[in-house]
């Protein structure tokens, strides 16, 4: 028998022992042969791993990298180690993340041309010349002055405001909300694609917004509408500094991981965590959009000194993108809980309510480690050990979460960021 992650289970496998949930509640009997329906239900029950008959643990583990050429493993480890330079590899969660990322990189190098990968890796570092002379970037501007300065980011389209008002109005019915959302065909199409995607994994097709409202719930759907709206409103802003597709990929992956981790913690309304992940680095857009500061210099300075970007933001500005993010969410009148998560995602334990900021903190670290998109940061930020303790999950959750995330985001980035309907 061998313990297999949920994502690797296949119909026909038989349970080697009785299956119980994390509270010890009996779920399925030893010997049960798993069906597709079981696999769906196990996901809903939050089962992480299952002991399966007829598979040795050795075989399960040998599936994890032993067959990759040691020279490729070494190249992968070297590259990943550079990205993890600011982390503590003695911490069990960081060590596990390092192991998973090394394996993933080795698998990539094993099947694709490494030069093509390197090209991809640098794609978000647009027009960056490491030898460029740095100007003095210090500024006395306050975070509020930055937000006031930024008209394009701080002003939301009218239709967004109308939808938000309908959603926030306690007198609005599900039908009013569906009607308000349906007026924007682009957003409606994206919402329908989202609720029909692997993100939800509903077995039957949901073809109208009113049905989506009924099935997903107004609260969940409203927060998703916020998220989709914001991506839509800001996806075509062009900067020479950052590729917006890469920025939103980082944000969508972070949000998806946060939503999965929240479900493992039995948090209600996990869509809120998805949107918090989507918006966690939105303050960076204010920096990149600002004419009052040379954001290129901030990025270059971080790069040349091998420092974390948010530390250099602090050094130059006396505040960082988390402060700007919080202010912009306040301006958009989004819920306080979202402001709290965005403000504390790099320092979750400073929050009075640290669990959700800690989840996005871990999600951001995982997203940077996986190198999926970028908001400008080159390194994996360090994991706050107290935040990890606060989350209270086992390092085993990381591999399952990454597999679930990959399954869910496969199409998500494409249809949320692209113009197709
Ligand atoms: Fe950040
Ligand atoms: Fe981030």
């Amino acid at each position: 028998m061998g313990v297999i992650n949920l994502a690797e289970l296949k119909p026909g496998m038989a349970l080697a022992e009785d299956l119980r949930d994390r509270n010890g509640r009996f779920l399925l009997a030893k010997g049960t042969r798993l069906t597709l329906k079981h696999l769906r239900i196990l996901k809903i029950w939050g089962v992480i791993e299952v002991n399966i008959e007829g598979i040795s643990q050795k075989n399960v583990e040998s599936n994890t990298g032993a067959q990759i050429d040691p020279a490729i493993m070494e190249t992968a480890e070297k590259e990943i180690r550079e990205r993890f330079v600011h982390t503590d590899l003695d911490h069990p969660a960081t060590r596990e993340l390092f192991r998973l990322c090394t394996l993933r990189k080795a698998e990539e190098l094993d099947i694709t041309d490494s030069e093509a990968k390197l090209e991809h890796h640098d794609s978000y570092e647009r027009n960056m010349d490491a030898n460029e002379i740095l100007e003095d970037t210090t500024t006395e501007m306050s975070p509020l002055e930055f937000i006031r300065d930024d008209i394009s980011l701080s002003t939301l389209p009218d239709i967004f405001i109308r939808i938000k008002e309908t959603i926030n109005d306690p007198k609005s019915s599900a039908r009013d909300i569906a009607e308000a959302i349906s007026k924007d065909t682009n957003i409606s199409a994206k919402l329908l694609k989202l609720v029909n995607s692997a993100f939800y994994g509903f077995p039957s097709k949901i073809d109208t917004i009113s049905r989506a409202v009924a099935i997903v719930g107004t609260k969940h759907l409203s927060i998703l509408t916020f998220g989709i709206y914001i991506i839509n409103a800001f996806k075509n802003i062009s900067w020479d500094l950052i590729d917006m597709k890469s920025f939103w990929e980082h944000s969508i992956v972070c949000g998806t991981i946060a939503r999965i981790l929240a479900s493992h913690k039995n948090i209600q309304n996990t869509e809120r965590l998805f949107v918090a992940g989507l918006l966690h680095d939105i303050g960076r857009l204010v920096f990149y959009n600002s004419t009052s500061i040379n954001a290129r210099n901030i990025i270059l300075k971080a790069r040349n000194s091998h420092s974390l970007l948010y530390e250099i933001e602090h050094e130059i500005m006396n505040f960082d993108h988390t402060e700007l993010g919080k202010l912009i969410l306040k301006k958009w009148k989004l819920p306080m809980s979202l402001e709290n998560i965005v403000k504390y995602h790099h320092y979750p334990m400073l929050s009075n309510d640290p669990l959700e900021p800690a989840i996005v903190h871990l999600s951001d670290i995982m997203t940077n480690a996986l190198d999926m998109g970028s908001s400008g940061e080159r390194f994996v930020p360090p994991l706050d050990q107290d935040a990890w303790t606060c989350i209270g999950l086992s390092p085993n959750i990381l591999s399952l979460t990454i597999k679930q995330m990959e399954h869910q985001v496969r199409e998500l980035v494409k249809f949320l960021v692209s113009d197709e309907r």
Side-chain angles (χ1 to χ4, degrees):
M1 58 188 190
V3 177
I4 293 193
N5 275 333
L6 181 71
E8 281 159 8
L9 288 177
K10 302 218 166 28
M13 288 179 165
L15 298 183
E17 58 187 12
D18 286 350
L19 181 64
R20 295 176 183 279
D21 70 8
R22 69 192 103 184
N23 300 318
R25 187 169 55 110
F26 176 82
L27 301 175
L28 291 170
K30 177 182 175 182
T32 303
R33 217 157 262 289
L34 297 174
T35 62
L36 269 176
K37 194 173 165 200
H38 284 133
L39 299 187
R40 270 201 301 273
I41 294 171
L42 291 181
K43 197 169 146 196
I44 294 164
W45 282 339
V47 171
I48 295 166
E49 50 194 23
V50 176
N51 203 345
I52 290 295
E53 260 176 17
I55 293 175
S56 79
Q57 196 61 38
K58 226 171 145 195
N59 277 347
V60 174
E61 278 155 19
S62 73
N63 241 342
T64 53
Q67 56 284 66
I68 296 176
D69 180 343
I72 290 179
M73 280 301 281
E74 203 179 306
T75 310
E77 191 179 315
K78 191 167 167 277
E79 192 178 315
I80 299 298
R81 200 171 282 280
E82 281 170 18
R83 296 180 54 75
F84 275 69
V85 71
H86 292 284
T87 68
D88 172 14
L89 287 175
D90 287 334
H91 188 280
T94 311
R95 201 167 52 239
E96 171 65 357
L97 189 57
F98 177 80
R99 186 186 73 79
L100 294 169
C101 291
T102 304
L103 193 62
R104 190 183 152 90
K105 176 54 74 182
E107 282 167 357
E108 271 178 24
L109 293 175
D110 202 27
I111 53 169
T112 47
D113 175 9
S114 59
E115 269 180 38
K117 280 287 145 195
L118 284 175
E119 206 176 291
H120 163 79
H121 176 76
D122 280 343
S123 64
Y124 60 87
E125 296 168 8
R126 290 181 152 199
N127 306 321
M128 281 287 169
D129 175 0
N131 298 318
E132 200 174 306
I133 307 292
L134 299 183
E135 294 161 17
D136 178 17
T137 41
T138 46
T139 171
E140 297 293 310
M141 273 175 85
S142 72
L144 262 178
E145 283 169 319
F146 262 99
I147 301 286
R148 235 179 276 137
D149 228 29
D150 193 323
I151 295 164
S152 65
L153 281 165
S154 54
T155 316
L156 286 176
D158 286 352
I159 187 144
F160 174 91
I161 294 160
R162 275 202 298 282
I163 290 179
K164 202 156 76 72
E165 278 165 2
T166 313
I167 285 166
N168 287 343
D169 182 352
K171 289 191 284 282
S172 296
S173 66
R175 187 195 238 173
D176 295 332
I177 292 167
E179 256 173 37
I181 296 174
S182 300
K183 281 197 181 118
D184 188 308
T185 51
N186 193 342
I187 294 299
S188 311
K190 283 182 197 288
L191 258 179
L192 284 178
K193 275 193 178 179
L194 181 68
V195 295
N196 282 302
S197 74
F199 188 78
Y200 278 106
F202 289 131
S204 56
K205 193 166 182 331
I206 299 165
D207 44 16
T208 61
I209 289 292
S210 51
R211 198 157 151 61
V213 173
I215 290 182
V216 180
T218 48
K219 215 166 160 190
H220 291 212
L221 209 68
S222 64
I223 199 87
L224 285 177
T225 315
F226 285 146
I228 295 176
Y229 236 114
I230 286 160
I231 294 182
N232 224 41
F234 303 118
K235 68 177 195 284
N236 289 329
I237 294 177
S238 101
W239 289 288
D240 67 339
L241 284 178
I242 190 112
D243 171 16
M244 281 306 283
K245 192 159 181 272
S246 185
F247 179 89
W248 285 121
E249 182 181 357
H250 172 81
S251 309
I252 292 167
V253 170
C254 179
T256 306
I257 292 177
R259 178 174 176 264
I260 295 167
L261 290 172
S263 71
H264 290 308
K265 286 298 293 175
N266 291 329
I267 289 177
Q268 301 291 306
N269 192 2
T270 53
E271 278 66 13
R272 198 180 65 252
L273 270 292
F274 173 68
V275 173
L278 271 188
L279 300 179
H280 76 287
D281 278 337
I282 195 100
R284 287 231 161 100
L285 296 191
V286 184
F287 272 137
Y288 300 144
N289 207 31
S290 171
T291 49
S292 315
I293 182 142
N294 192 340
R296 172 190 291 271
N297 276 6
I298 298 185
I299 298 181
L300 270 177
K301 192 165 182 189
R303 197 137 303 162
N304 290 351
S305 60
H306 297 277
S307 305
L308 289 159
L309 188 55
Y310 66 90
E311 289 183 351
I312 297 295
E313 288 168 1
H314 246 292
E315 198 180 288
I316 290 174
M317 318 281 304
N318 284 327
F319 59 87
D320 63 25
H321 63 283
T322 59
E323 190 63 37
L324 291 177
K326 179 202 143 117
L327 288 174
I328 205 155
L329 262 58
K330 195 187 241 351
K331 190 160 177 139
W332 290 345
K333 298 192 172 59
L334 291 182
M336 278 276 284
S337 58
L338 284 181
E339 279 180 38
N340 182 48
I341 300 174
V342 169
K343 172 149 169 64
Y344 293 108
H345 74 268
H346 287 297
Y347 340 92
M349 301 317 285
L350 294 180
S351 164
N352 291 330
D353 191 4
L355 176 61
E356 294 185 354
I359 287 176
V360 173
H361 170 70
L362 174 61
S363 310
D364 179 48
I365 288 168
M366 291 171 70
T367 309
N368 278 295
L370 293 165
D371 199 13
M372 294 178 79
S374 172
S375 70
E377 182 59 82
R378 190 176 206 175
F379 299 106
V380 180
L383 175 67
D384 182 317
Q385 301 203 8
D386 293 335
W388 173 255
T389 310
C390 169
I391 296 171
L393 293 170
S394 127
N396 284 338
I397 204 78
L398 301 178
S399 116
L400 175 66
T401 301
I402 291 169
K403 284 202 181 90
Q404 289 179 320
M405 175 276 292
E406 284 181 319
H407 176 64
Q408 293 183 13
V409 298
R410 209 163 286 154
E411 300 161 310
L412 217 56
V413 175
K414 201 172 82 192
F415 74 71
L416 285 181
V417 182
S418 76
D419 281 317
E420 64 181 67
R421 294 192 182 180

